[in-house]
Structure formats: structure tokens, C-alpha cells
Amino acid sequence: MAISLEEYGRRRQRLMELMEPDSIAIIAAASEQPRSNDTYFPFRQNSDFYYLSGFNEPDAVLALIPGRSQGEFVMFCRDKHPEKEIWDGFRYGPEGVCKHFEADDAFPIDDIDDILPGLIEGRTRIYYAMGRDTNFDRHVMDWVNTIRCSQSSGATPPGEFQELDHLLHELRLYKSAAEIKVMQKAASISAEAHREAMMACRPEMFEYQLEAVLHHRFAQEGARFPAYTSIVGSGANACVLHYVENQKKMKAGELVLIDAGCEYQNYAADITRTFPVSGCFSPEQQAIYEIVLAANEAAIAEAKPGNHWDKPHEVSVEIITQGLLDLGLLEGELSELIETAAYRRFYMHRVGHWLGLDVHDVGDYRVDDQWRLLEPGMVMTIEPGIYVSPSDQQVDEKWRGIGVRIEDDVAITKNHCTVLSADVPKSIMDIEALMAGHML
């Protein structure tokens, strides 16, 4: 199921075809990040670097040099070091990078100051993501200045920098069939974790215990890490959009909102379900849930080729605003409430975002100042919600503290879309049946 070396090669080739002649692209890998004293957070590769190489070691640099006679794909990486490998693990080294990742040329990262300026020299343009890593920015400028200092000897420095992100992120926006398969696997693992959390949930459990159920299933299925910090918010915590403390004891009669997805082979899933801690929705919880579910399903129906990016959101806003009117949480005319965004008191975020190597994946939402059209290969989330603040004195007390979000991962296809997260129950009947032990 892993992305093939041939596909990584095609990605590099497509990018180089978009670059100007006599140019060079430079992309740095991520570095290990200290957690405390001499311990580090788990390493996670820079998504752009990984997209072009599949190489998952820190402290590396990738250069793409169209037309270079000795090879267009050049890597700098950590050298082999038997003693350090005893302590910190295997390294591919330059020779391994050429053999296993099909680099045309590779050098030790410690030699980059001596070699990379020579690769830049004579190139008219550098494609680079300036401003993302200030430390590496300084290195790039030092290399350019080294060339400038040699102009009297005939060296030719590059004439301009070009933002790399626009070209590269447009490529990343359109997922290949292989990428969709990996993302389906990530969604399927995450779906099973959500199902297990529903079945495990009991009053008096702590939120972090449900989080542990999720993470256990992720790891058991080969997805060691979540794609983002998991949200397990019960009661009023479900009304906090980015709640991550996960410390509260869950009470009977409350809802619990779980927003969690695994990362599988560097690709993210992002799924949210909301369900009753004790297994049965109250009438008020059910009323709000049914509005959000209707918005979720209607927005998914609009996630298809030819519709613009904002169409699913527009539909979700209309359904949620009408639902809030029907419940008496809003008053007035539907059109005016939508025009004045009165619904944002209860529905304050957009219906979704791109999904891929990053949870909030790259790619422009507008083209020429217009919402871009959805096309096959794009993957997005659909995640409407209603959140009634526990401190909102303008609504009847019975509604306060109810928070509901339903989020699915959707891949745009030739004719419509595929819901990658379809294995997680979301109808009230199916959720209550699963929690009662009546569904496998």
C-alpha cells in the first residue's frame, strides 16, 4: 500500500516541468525537536520534503536541478555512523539514499556548505519556501552570498527567488489513486477506533480513557501516532472547538464529542463523532444532533466535481440556520439571519478543509479571487456543528452546554465523491444500537 518509488519520481518530474529553465529547487527536511533537556518529540518529516522523496530521516536537504547532466535529484543526508547508530538507530547514508530512494547524487549533510553553492551557481532562479525556517533561510542566503563574493572570478549568482509553495502545493492538492488508498486505510483505522470508543464509553470514565482506546487501536493497526492532538470533550467541553485537555470525568446524560484521526504512512484522517455518554440521546440532544446530521449529509451531497469549494458550506449554513430557527434558538427571517451571519453564534467555523499529508492540507481555496471548483482527486472534510455555550443566557437552559459536530473525510471522484470515513455510525439509531451492543 506504500507509495511507490516510481510515483515519487513522477512527482519530482512534474515539479521540475513547472520550474523555469536553469533553476534549482531547495527543500529542507524537518529537524528533531527537543521536548525536555536531552529528550525529543517523535520525529515527523516535513510534508513537502516527504511528498517529493519518501525519505523519513531528519537533517536532510533535497535539491531538484532540471537539466543537470550528473543527475537532477540531489540529496544531502546524515552520513553513516556506526557508533551513533548504536545509540539512535539506522541511517541510510548517501549511498543508501541513492540505492533505496533513487537519488541521482547524494552527499553527507556536513559537506553541504562546500557543495550546494556550486549547484546553485549559474542558476538564474531559486525555488524556495522563504520564511518557513529562519535558520535554514540564513543558510540559503549564505550560499548565495558565497557565490556573489566570487563574481569577480566569473561566478554567476541566481538573479531571483521564487516562492516554491504555489507550484508544489497545487501538485499536492490532487491525490493519486495510490494516495487515496493510503488515506482510505487511515480513515478505516480511525473509523474502527471511533467505533471502539463508542462501545467502551461509560459514565464516570475519564475523557483520557476514551483517548487511550482510540490511540490503542491506531497503534494496533500500524498507525503509531494520531494525525493531530485528539479531542475528547464531554458535556460543556464539546462546545470548545479545540479542547484537548481530555481530563474531565464523563457524566451520564452528557454528550461526548470525539475529533480524532490517525496518521498512516504520513497521511492524515480527520473524523468527528458525537454520542451520548450513557448510550441514549435526550430529546434536546437529539433535536440538535438531527440538524447537524442533515447538514453533514446535504453538504456531502454537494461535494462533487463542478461545484465550487464553498457550495457544501452554503448548504450547511442554510440547514443549520433553519434548524436553529425551528428550535427557537434564533429568531427572524432565514435570509436575513444568513446574510448577517447570525448563525455564527452557534456555528462559528467553516464546513471543512483540504486533507492529505497535513490535516489542514495545502492548496488554495480561491483561484483568481473566485472559489475554486472541486475536481477529482481532491480530498476534503465535511464537518458542520452546533455549539450552545453553557453560559448563553439568551437561550433556554435545556439547550445550554450541548455541542455536536459530525465530520467525515470525502474524496472527490469523477462523478461524485467517496466518503472515506463511512464505517463510523452517525445516525442516532445506529449509534444507540452500537453502544447497546446490538451492532457488530
Side-chain angles (χ1 to χ4, degrees):
M1 185 174 291
I3 306 298
S4 68
L5 290 176
E6 290 76 15
E7 177 157 332
Y8 287 113
R10 287 194 296 271
R11 294 172 180 178
R12 293 190 295 270
Q13 191 58 45
R14 285 199 297 269
L15 178 58
M16 286 190 285
E17 289 169 358
L18 296 172
M19 294 164 58
E20 293 290 332
D22 297 321
S23 62
I24 181 171
I26 301 172
I27 304 100
S31 297
E32 292 178 302
Q33 298 299 313
R35 184 180 186 276
S36 63
N37 197 11
D38 60 348
T39 67
Y40 292 83
F41 286 104
F43 176 72
R44 207 288 183 175
Q45 187 60 280
N46 173 290
S47 294
D48 286 341
F49 186 95
Y50 188 83
Y51 178 79
L52 293 171
S53 68
F55 187 62
N56 221 5
E57 289 185 16
D59 302 327
V61 174
L62 178 157
L64 297 180
I65 315 169
R68 179 174 178 261
S69 58
Q70 301 96 319
E72 298 178 319
F73 172 30
V74 179
M75 282 269 283
F76 296 85
C77 65
R78 299 178 304 178
D79 210 352
K80 295 291 290 180
H81 195 300
E83 184 177 351
K84 289 185 177 180
E85 289 181 58
I86 289 173
W87 288 92
D88 299 323
F90 174 80
R91 299 178 178 188
Y92 278 98
E95 189 174 316
V97 165
C98 291
K99 180 178 180 181
H100 297 285
F101 296 89
E102 298 188 343
D104 297 314
D105 220 346
F107 306 95
I109 191 67
D110 291 342
D111 295 342
I112 193 168
D113 290 338
D114 298 323
I115 297 172
L116 191 52
L119 300 178
I120 297 172
E121 197 275 325
R123 297 280 157 177
T124 59
R125 178 177 297 183
I126 296 178
Y127 288 89
Y128 175 68
M130 187 68 72
R132 185 178 298 173
D133 181 338
T134 55
N135 185 50
F136 194 72
D137 289 350
R138 287 193 292 270
H139 284 295
V140 173
M141 292 310 303
D142 286 344
W143 296 326
V144 172
N145 288 331
T146 296
I147 301 168
R148 287 173 177 163
C149 290
S150 301
Q151 280 184 278
S152 60
S153 303
T156 305
E160 63 177 308
F161 281 84
Q162 182 76 32
E163 180 61 48
L164 176 65
D165 288 355
H166 178 70
L167 297 182
L168 182 53
H169 293 175
E170 276 296 297
L171 294 177
R172 281 180 54 187
L173 177 60
Y174 296 88
K175 274 62 178 181
S176 67
E179 287 180 287
I180 297 293
K181 286 182 180 179
V182 173
M183 294 186 71
Q184 178 63 79
K185 179 68 172 178
S188 296
I189 294 170
S190 302
E192 183 59 31
H194 276 265
R195 290 169 60 90
E196 289 191 9
M198 288 180 184
M199 292 186 288
C201 186
R202 299 289 185 275
E204 303 304 308
M205 285 180 69
F206 286 91
E207 293 165 341
Y208 57 73
Q209 290 177 298
L210 276 192
E211 181 182 36
V213 172
L214 296 161
H215 292 187
H216 176 262
R217 178 47 52 195
F218 292 169
Q220 286 290 96
E221 299 298 328
R224 185 180 169 200
F225 300 110
Y228 52 96
T229 304
S230 299
I231 295 170
V232 183
S234 60
N237 291 337
C239 296
V240 180
L241 300 185
H242 292 160
Y243 172 79
V244 293
E245 284 82 3
N246 301 350
Q247 294 290 325
K248 178 181 171 294
K249 183 179 286 188
M250 299 182 292
K251 301 296 184 181
E254 295 179 333
L255 293 177
V256 57
L257 183 156
I258 294 181
D259 186 338
C262 73
E263 182 173 273
Y264 183 75
Q265 295 183 7
N266 287 54
Y267 285 84
D270 186 1
I271 301 172
T272 304
R273 290 295 186 267
T274 310
F275 55 91
V277 171
S278 53
C280 292
F281 289 85
S282 73
E284 292 77 19
Q285 292 166 351
Q286 179 170 338
I288 289 179
Y289 188 94
E290 292 285 15
I291 297 169
V292 177
L293 179 60
N296 169 273
E297 292 176 338
I300 289 173
E302 298 298 335
K304 56 187 177 182
N307 277 354
H308 60 74
W309 160 260
D310 203 42
K311 183 64 175 177
H313 181 68
E314 291 175 349
V315 170
S316 75
V317 165
E318 185 171 344
I319 289 174
I320 285 177
T321 306
Q322 182 63 62
L324 293 170
L325 265 173
D326 294 342
L327 296 182
L329 291 168
L330 287 176
E331 295 180 354
E333 294 294 326
L334 178 63
S335 59
E336 183 178 350
L337 292 171
I338 292 175
E339 185 177 349
T340 60
Y343 60 87
R344 287 184 62 83
R345 179 172 148 209
F346 304 101
Y347 177 29
M348 57 287 293
H349 57 78
R350 299 195 63 80
V351 82
H353 53 78
W354 301 131
L355 185 68
L357 283 168
D358 294 318
V359 179
H360 287 251
D361 206 31
V362 296
D364 293 333
Y365 293 98
R366 289 178 176 270
V367 176
D368 296 328
D369 207 32
Q370 300 292 321
W371 292 114
R372 80 182 307 150
L373 298 181
L374 298 176
E375 299 179 63
M378 297 176 175
V379 182
M380 62 190 293
T381 64
I382 298 289
E383 50 178 309
I386 293 176
Y387 316 89
V388 186
S389 170
S391 60
D392 190 339
Q393 300 298 313
Q394 299 179 53
V395 303
D396 193 301
E397 186 176 0
K398 66 182 181 180
W399 303 113
R400 296 176 199 163
I402 296 178
V404 175
R405 182 164 65 252
I406 305 171
E407 178 180 21
D408 284 298
D409 300 345
V410 173
I412 308 301
T413 61
K414 181 178 180 180
N415 298 315
H416 194 201
C417 69
T418 297
V419 181
L420 305 178
S421 51
D423 288 346
V424 197
K426 61 181 177 181
S427 75
I428 286 177
M429 182 178 68
D430 287 347
I431 289 172
E432 290 185 343
L434 178 64
M435 295 186 73
H438 298 155
M439 289 177 61
L440 295 178

